[in-house]
Structure formats: C-alpha cells, structure tokens
Amino acid sequence: MQVISKELVEVRDKYGDERRTSIFNSSADIEIEDLVPDMDVVITLSHEGYVKYQPLSDYDAQHRGGQGKSATKLKDNDYIVNMAVANTHDYLIMFTSKGREFLLKVFNLPEASRGSKGRPLVNVVKLGEGERVTQMLPVHDFGDEGEFKYVIMATKKGRVKKLPLRLLSSRSLGKIVITLLEGDDLIGVAPSTGNDDIMLFSKKGRCIRFNEYYSAVGEEDDLASEADSDSDDTPAPETSEGSLDDAVQADNADAETDASAAGGGLRPQGCSSRGVRGMKLAGDDDELVALVVPRSADPVLDITETGLGKRTPIESYPLRSNRGGMGVISHKITDKTGLVVGAIQAASDDEILIITDHGRLIRTKVGEVRECQRNSAGVKVARFPDDEKIMSIERVVPGDESNAEEQHPDADVSDDETAALPDVSGDAADGSAPDETDGQ
C-alpha cells in the first residue's frame, strides 16, 4: 500500500492541474433536436398501424425489373399502406381518415431496422375508434418566405380542397382540416403555390388537369365564408348525365382554354369545409388514386397493380378550363394490366420506391421506365409473385450513393407478354382519336 500511495502522489504532483470540465445542473441550452443526426429517411406505415423510419441509404438503386429488398417485417395479413421520404428535422403532418391532422417532428417517430415492423402508431398519436392515418406529408417550412402557401387535398370520391398551409403550423393533437362525406377518404395531399396545375388520376385510368388559380375574391373573404363553401360544388359548364363517351367528348371541347383566364380553379377554404368536386368519376366503383401537382416539365409516371408502368409527358394531358369533368384516358386498362394504383411526377434521374401488399420494397430508376403515349399499357416495372399487388409508389431524389446494387437490366416484357398486351399505338386503326373512347 505504501508503494501504491507513493506512486499516486507522484502522478498527482506531476500531472495535476485545474479542472477543465464545467458541470451544470441545467440543460436548458441543449434541445433534443440538437442531438438528432441530419439525414434522409424512409417513413413507412402498415395497415395494422405499425410506423417507423429508417435511413434512405439502406436501399440501393436497382435496374428496372429488380426483385428489391424487404422494407419491413410484417405480421400475417399486414402490408404497407403509406410511405414518405423526409429529413429527420422536417415536420410530418399525418392526415387521418376522419379528416384530422397531427403535426410532429420526424425524429419523434420510432427508428427501426429494415427487418423490424416498427412500433404501434397509437404510441405516437392518439386516434379515435376506427380512425387511421391515410396520408403523410413532410413539410420543411411553414413561413411566408417559403415557396408553398397552400395544401391541396383530394378524396377518393373525387373532391378537392385548398387549405392555407399556415393553418397547419401549430402543434396539433387532432385538428379537423376537412369534413368528409360518408364513405369518403383522403387519397392525396400536396403543397401548392396558389397558381399550380392540379392533376387527378382515377383507378380506371382517367385523368383531369386544371389550374388552381382563383381571383374572384380575396383569400380572407374566402376563409370567412365557409358556411357557403359547398355552393361552389358544381363548376360551369357541367356535363350532362349521358354516356361516358358523350361526357368525355363534351369535356374535350374546351381542352385548349386557359384555366386562369376562365376564372376557374380552387378558392382557399377553412379547416371545417368539405371542399368541392374536382373530378366526375366513371361509376360508383371508380375512385381517385392519385393527386399530382406538377413542379416541372418532367413526365408523369403511373403504374398499375400488376407492375405495368409508363411515363407520359405533361402536355399530353389537356388543360381544362374548369374542374369537375371526367377527364381523358391516362392508362389503358385491361385484365392484364389491372387497375391504376398511383401516379407521380419524376425526372429521369430520380428514383421511385414501390411497395407491395406483402411488404416488398423495390427501388428503381425512373429513367429506365419507357416514355409512352397516354393511352398505352406501359412496360413491366417490377416483377413479383402473382399473389402480390402493388399498393403505392413514392418518388425519391437520389443522393450521393454510389453502391448501386446491380441487377440484370434485361427486364422488359417478354415476347409472349408483349403479344398479350393491348395495342399501344397512338391512334386507333380507323384513325379516330384514342382518347375519345372510354378505355374501360
């Protein structure tokens, strides 16, 4: 012990100095957000209500037709219903089936590995009985200096609504942002500048495009007159209750009319209004599957439940002077193609994430999907077993990732499959315009 004591005294005399570390009882200067790494992540939400986020870098790009990687480990009969790509420091607005919204930071969600199913959503937000999250919208900035001033919402029954983004900036525990009709659900939410084109896609392969600009009265007057918001439910001119062919031909008559000059569009509304009709659906079994607000001249990519997709130039979709019409054919639907499940606008150097109902996630490059005419069937974008169906797609802007997973690029539809697909030529054999038919 004397030797140990002697050596410790020598160490103290040789190296001893004043304490350099300051210790405080208060941590007021440190926020939890300061400790969260800044990175891009993929947020997934399953049908059974399991939510998580994981780094976007976990998924390398593959060639078209790749088999993909498992995005999450799911329980039996569970599948992914929604996903979003965001930064850990972004805000995430969750829109529910009851027309409510929850606002939280992305890093407040549970982080989990690719093989984990995540945590129950009820541990993150408080939902009512039978209520579920139907859409997630990442937002970086709510301020006036931001590019976007509004949020456009679309429901599966064909209704649309324009809501000022600033009304969603307060931390919310379930504020109502849209009043839904019985049996209706939110299918799409997108930010807008106030003068953007709106494109609505139905599962039966139709699309309508119109401009949102509205100048009849000021914004404050619109927000103050929520009581009569539904009086704007029927735009003029309205098509008659005839056949689908007659309605489409009548709607095509004003295809070249500029929407802004015609005084159409969407007026801003408050949180409790139910919106107005955006698209007339082709029957009770039809519904909207996608809302697209174009940001550039890049084509729109749409995909069916069997994995057939294509890119179509924006100018192929005529700009309507009014909302509420049936639109034109956007994807030729057959038993081989299945119904349309989603549509997004993406550049050729972007990438897309595809989720199936079995939890499979496929990441592929947009540029490898062929650019086709509006009423064509498309090419095979992803391959999976016959009992699987695509549930949703999401656009991804590629980062500085260089370790792309190589797959065989020869993933085109085989000769036998091509023979079974419908004619994708621009015009019908008799020379008539292809979008004058209902395509059903």
Side-chain angles (χ1 to χ4, degrees), residues 84-100:
V85 177
N87 189 277
T88 49
H89 290 263
D90 287 345
Y91 290 96
L92 184 70
I93 306 177
M94 291 186 172
F95 295 87
T96 76
S97 58
K98 301 294 185 181
R100 298 198 298 161

Side-chain angles (χ1 to χ4, degrees), residues 43-45 49-52 82 84 91-106 108-110 120-122 124-127 131-139 142 168 172-175 177 186 189:
I43 306 167
T44 57
L45 176 65
Y50 287 89
V51 64
K52 70 171 183 175
N82 209 299
Y91 290 96
L92 184 70
I93 306 177
M94 291 186 172
F95 295 87
T96 76
S97 58
K98 301 294 185 181
R100 298 198 298 161
E101 61 97 6
F102 293 86
L103 179 67
L104 66 158
K105 283 283 193 176
V106 171
N108 287 327
L109 297 173
L121 185 62
V122 293
V124 181
V125 296
K126 185 176 293 185
L127 301 176
E131 188 175 17
R132 68 187 188 281
V133 172
T134 59
Q135 191 72 23
M136 300 186 298
L137 176 66
V139 177
F142 288 96
L168 305 177
S172 172
L173 297 178
K175 179 173 63 177
V177 294
L186 279 173
V189 180

Side-chain angles (χ1 to χ4, degrees), residues 49-63:
Y50 287 89
V51 64
K52 70 171 183 175
Y53 75 83
Q54 57 199 95
L56 180 61
S57 57
D58 284 356
Y59 299 97
D60 297 323
Q62 300 181 8
H63 288 287

Side-chain angles (χ1 to χ4, degrees), residues 150 160-164 212-219 221-223 225-233 264-270 273 276 323:
Y150 301 96
V160 291
K161 179 176 178 177
K162 182 178 181 179
L163 182 69
E212 65 163 313
Y213 180 75
Y214 185 83
S215 61
V217 292
E219 176 183 334
D221 294 336
D222 284 333
L223 294 178
S225 60
E226 289 184 32
D228 65 349
S229 63
D230 293 332
S231 64
D232 194 30
D233 191 38
L266 293 173
R267 60 174 175 173
Q269 297 179 334
S273 66
V276 294
R323 54 179 172 77

Side-chain angles (χ1 to χ4, degrees), residues 168-247:
L168 305 177
S169 59
S170 59
R171 291 297 176 95
S172 172
L173 297 178
K175 179 173 63 177
I176 294 177
V177 294
I178 183 173
T179 300
L180 296 172
L181 301 174
E182 183 178 358
D184 206 357
D185 288 312
L186 279 173
I187 59 93
V189 180
S192 78
T193 64
N195 192 23
D196 292 329
D197 287 348
I198 308 297
M199 301 179 70
L200 304 175
F201 292 81
S202 73
K203 72 177 184 180
K204 288 191 174 181
R206 306 199 71 86
C207 170
I208 186 171
R209 174 189 171 201
F210 59 91
N211 192 275
E212 65 163 313
Y213 180 75
Y214 185 83
S215 61
V217 292
E219 176 183 334
E220 297 301 328
D221 294 336
D222 284 333
L223 294 178
S225 60
E226 289 184 32
D228 65 349
S229 63
D230 293 332
S231 64
D232 194 30
D233 191 38
T234 305
E238 185 60 67
T239 57
S240 60
E241 294 292 339
S243 66
L244 183 61
D245 290 346
D246 294 339

